[in-house]
């Protein structure tokens, strides 16, 4: 029997405290018992999103909440800007085009961060734009975008800023209100340390004005229904009760540790992971590296094999590249329940696999580099 180490940028391992809650018997959702839980998580989600706006939980993966921001904010023929720098930024384009939106694409090469000045220029050239869609942490490359600066720019226009914070939230500093974010989505399987299946959506007053005028079709993801039921601590449809109960525990754990401490810890793990990659002779991939996943270039001949061998031989799961980056990079996550010891195990096994696959690496270097960074922070 192999012990498994899930070191992928979502899903991440579920801590036992949360897993136990996921195992509790299901109860009915039109009850005071459920309302008490939902009311409590409503407060917790405001803390995690750093917002005074309401945050709704949807039974879907993160993409469902992304789609909900399109269906609820826009109307046929609307023009939007999508600032993308990887697969998940491109997903905004795919969803918007499916709904018949006119997309002004402000994309950069994968591995780079989106350029706030280009968004500013696109807004000047397209004064009728309804919304700017972008990504906080672009998980496919490991790049973090400067949402604070983008928020400053978009807030001076009539457009709303919509951010996919599916990966970065909890692990890396994010302040929805202070950074003037109007709509934002996240999901359960990353920083929240829950099983997949729950998504979140937050809307500001400026975004609600668009919702009131939106003419795109929607039913299950109509946020007006969620708002109405939120007022009585309920959801319009049968919620994933098990995940909601587990979310209450996740929020309790996050509050206990404190967001700032979590941000600092992920920052330290990111520093250690970058050092580990360099010790393996791997070049870091991407400018503006985020703090929840570290990407590095690998020799293409063994790119896919590294990830497979690591999982099959050692039970260690990391992620490879997606789309055009398949086989070219590896991605090592350090968010949620992934900790210092996981990093030491992961990098030691990664080093063994690279040696087995023919790379010339001095034994023990990766773990030593990771350990050095961790010890220096003590
Ligand atoms: N956006 C980002 C930044 C992501 O990391 C992911 C998941 N990897 C998604 C969107 C899609 O989320 P889901 O798979 O939960 O639909």
């Amino acid at each position: 029997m192999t012990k498994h180490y899930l070191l992928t940028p979502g899903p991440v391992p579920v801590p036992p405290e949360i897993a136990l809650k996921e195992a509790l018997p299901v109860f009915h959702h039109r009850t005071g018992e459920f309302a008490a839980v939902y009311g409590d998580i409503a407060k917790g989600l405001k803390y995690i999103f750093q917002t005074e706006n309401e945050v709704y939980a949807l039974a879907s993966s993160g993409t469902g909440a992304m789609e909900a921001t399109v269906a609820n904010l826009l109307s046929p023929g609307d023009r939007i800007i999508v600032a993308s720098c990887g697969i998940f930024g491109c997903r905004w384009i795919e969803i918007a085009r499916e709904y018949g939106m006119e997309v002004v694409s402000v994309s950069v090469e994968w591995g780079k961060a989106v350029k706030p000045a280009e968004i500013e220029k696109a807004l000047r050239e397209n004064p009728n734009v309804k919304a700017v869609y972008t990504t906080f942490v672009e998980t496919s490359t490991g790049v973090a975008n400067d949402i604070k600066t983008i928020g400053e720019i978009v807030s001076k226009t009539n457009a709303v800023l919509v951010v996919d914070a599916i990966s970065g939230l909890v692990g890396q500093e994010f302040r929805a209100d202070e950074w003037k974010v109007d709509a934002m989505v996240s999901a359960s399987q990353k920083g929240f340390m829950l099983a997949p299946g729950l998504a979140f959506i937050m809307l500001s007053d400026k975004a609600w004005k668009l919702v009131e005028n939106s003419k795109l079709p929607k039913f299950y993801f109509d946020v007006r229904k969620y708002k109405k039921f939120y007022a009585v601590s309920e959801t319009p449809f049968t919620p994933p009760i098990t995940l909601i109960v587990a979310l209450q525990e996740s929020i309790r754990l996050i509050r206990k540790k404190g967001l700032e401490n979590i941000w600092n810890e992920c920052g330290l793990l990111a520093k250690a992971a970058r050092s580990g990659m360099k010790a393996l002779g791997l070049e870091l991939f991407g400018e503006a590296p985020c703090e929840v996943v570290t990407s590095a270039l690998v020799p293409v001949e063994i790119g896919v094999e590294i990830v497979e061998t690591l999982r099959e031989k050692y039970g260690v799961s990391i992620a490879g590249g997606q789309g055009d980056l398949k086989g070219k990079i590896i991605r090592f996550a350090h968010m949620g329940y992934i900790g210092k010891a996981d990093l030491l195990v992961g990098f030691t096994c990664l080093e063994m696999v690279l040696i087995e696959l023919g790379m010339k690496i001095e034994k023990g270097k990766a773990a030593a580099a990771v350990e050095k960074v961790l010890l220096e922070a003590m």
Side-chain angles (χ1 to χ4, degrees):
M1 207 165 107
T2 310
K3 182 167 180 183
H4 287 279
Y5 295 82
L6 189 56
L7 308 177
T8 54
V12 300
V14 176
E17 294 94 322
I18 295 181
L20 284 171
K21 297 287 177 185
E22 287 178 357
L24 287 174
V26 168
F27 54 89
H28 200 268
H29 54 291
R30 305 284 179 217
T31 57
E33 189 180 0
F34 182 80
V37 175
Y38 201 62
D40 189 40
I41 66 158
K43 289 192 217 107
L45 288 172
K46 285 185 175 185
Y47 164 66
I48 290 169
F49 280 61
Q50 293 284 295
T51 183
E52 292 302 319
N53 298 315
E54 295 176 354
V55 181
Y56 311 119
L58 309 174
S60 78
S61 81
T63 306
M66 291 174 77
E67 180 162 350
T69 65
V70 172
N72 282 278
L73 295 173
L74 305 174
S75 293
D78 274 353
R79 183 178 289 192
I80 62 166
I81 291 172
V82 175
S84 67
C85 61
I87 287 221
F88 296 108
C90 291
R91 186 161 298 177
W92 281 130
I93 302 178
E94 288 175 281
I95 299 171
R97 293 222 167 111
E98 202 61 48
Y99 277 85
M101 299 299 103
E102 212 186 298
V103 176
V104 177
S105 171
V106 182
S107 62
V108 291
E109 192 190 326
W110 292 11
K112 301 237 177 317
V114 303
K115 308 221 165 2
E118 298 210 346
I119 297 175
E120 195 166 24
K121 182 164 165 270
L123 279 165
R124 256 198 322 272
E125 289 169 357
N126 299 276
N128 57 347
V129 150
K130 284 276 173 59
V132 175
Y133 284 77
T134 195
T135 318
F136 174 36
V137 166
E138 176 49 75
T139 326
S140 65
T141 61
V143 164
N145 288 314
D146 181 358
I147 302 301
K148 189 177 180 194
T149 302
I150 298 170
E152 212 44 66
I153 292 166
V154 180
S155 70
K156 295 195 182 101
T157 70
N158 290 329
V160 295
L161 173 61
V162 186
V163 178
D164 164 359
I166 290 172
S167 250
L169 195 67
V170 186
Q172 182 159 345
E173 181 176 11
F174 192 97
R175 301 180 186 273
D177 288 0
E178 210 180 301
W179 294 358
K180 303 184 171 70
V181 174
D182 295 300
M184 174 179 162
V185 297
S186 196
S188 55
Q189 75 273 24
K190 308 206 182 205
F192 285 94
M193 306 171 286
L194 295 164
L198 200 57
F200 308 106
I201 181 165
M202 177 221 89
L203 299 163
S204 72
D205 291 345
K206 190 174 173 188
W208 272 106
K209 294 220 170 66
L210 285 187
V211 173
E212 281 148 25
N213 295 311
S214 161
K215 296 204 172 46
L216 284 179
K218 59 237 166 213
F219 184 85
Y220 183 74
F221 285 132
D222 185 340
V223 288
R224 290 167 303 183
K225 295 186 176 90
Y226 288 84
K227 184 179 179 57
K228 191 169 142 212
F229 279 84
Y230 181 95
V232 289
S233 292
E234 281 190 36
T235 53
F237 311 109
T238 311
I241 297 161
T242 306
L243 283 174
I244 300 262
V245 168
L247 172 62
Q248 190 182 28
E249 182 64 15
S250 149
I251 292 171
R252 191 186 69 76
L253 294 174
I254 292 168
R255 272 190 188 281
K256 192 167 156 214
K257 187 151 184 177
L259 270 182
E260 298 204 352
N261 291 328
I262 296 174
W263 297 338
N264 288 338
E265 180 153 315
C266 282
L268 174 64
L269 296 182
K271 199 171 157 202
R274 287 172 207 146
S275 180
M277 292 293 189
K278 284 188 204 150
L280 290 170
L282 303 177
E283 188 189 331
L284 295 174
F285 179 73
E287 64 175 21
C290 71
E291 295 185 346
V292 295
V293 57
T294 294
S295 305
L297 289 160
V298 285
V300 277
E301 321 81 70
I302 54 167
V304 172
E305 224 178 328
I306 294 170
V307 177
E308 282 173 6
T309 312
L310 201 47
R311 189 176 55 242
E312 281 158 19
K313 261 196 157 161
Y314 298 100
V316 173
S317 289
I318 61 168
Q322 297 169 285
D324 288 350
L325 291 172
K326 192 173 165 69
K328 296 182 186 157
I329 61 168
I330 51 170
R331 294 173 299 142
F332 194 121
H334 28 81
M335 58 168 91
Y337 194 47
I338 298 170
K340 294 173 185 153
D342 296 305
L343 229 64
L344 288 162
V345 169
F347 271 94
T348 301
C349 295
L350 177 58
E351 183 180 280
M352 289 196 284
V353 167
L354 294 180
I355 291 171
E356 283 171 46
L357 294 177
M359 281 181 70
K360 299 271 170 289
I361 300 164
E362 197 186 314
K363 292 186 196 78
K365 255 189 114 178
V370 170
E371 183 185 322
K372 184 165 181 281
V373 173
L374 298 179
L375 279 174
E376 275 166 10
M378 298 264 236

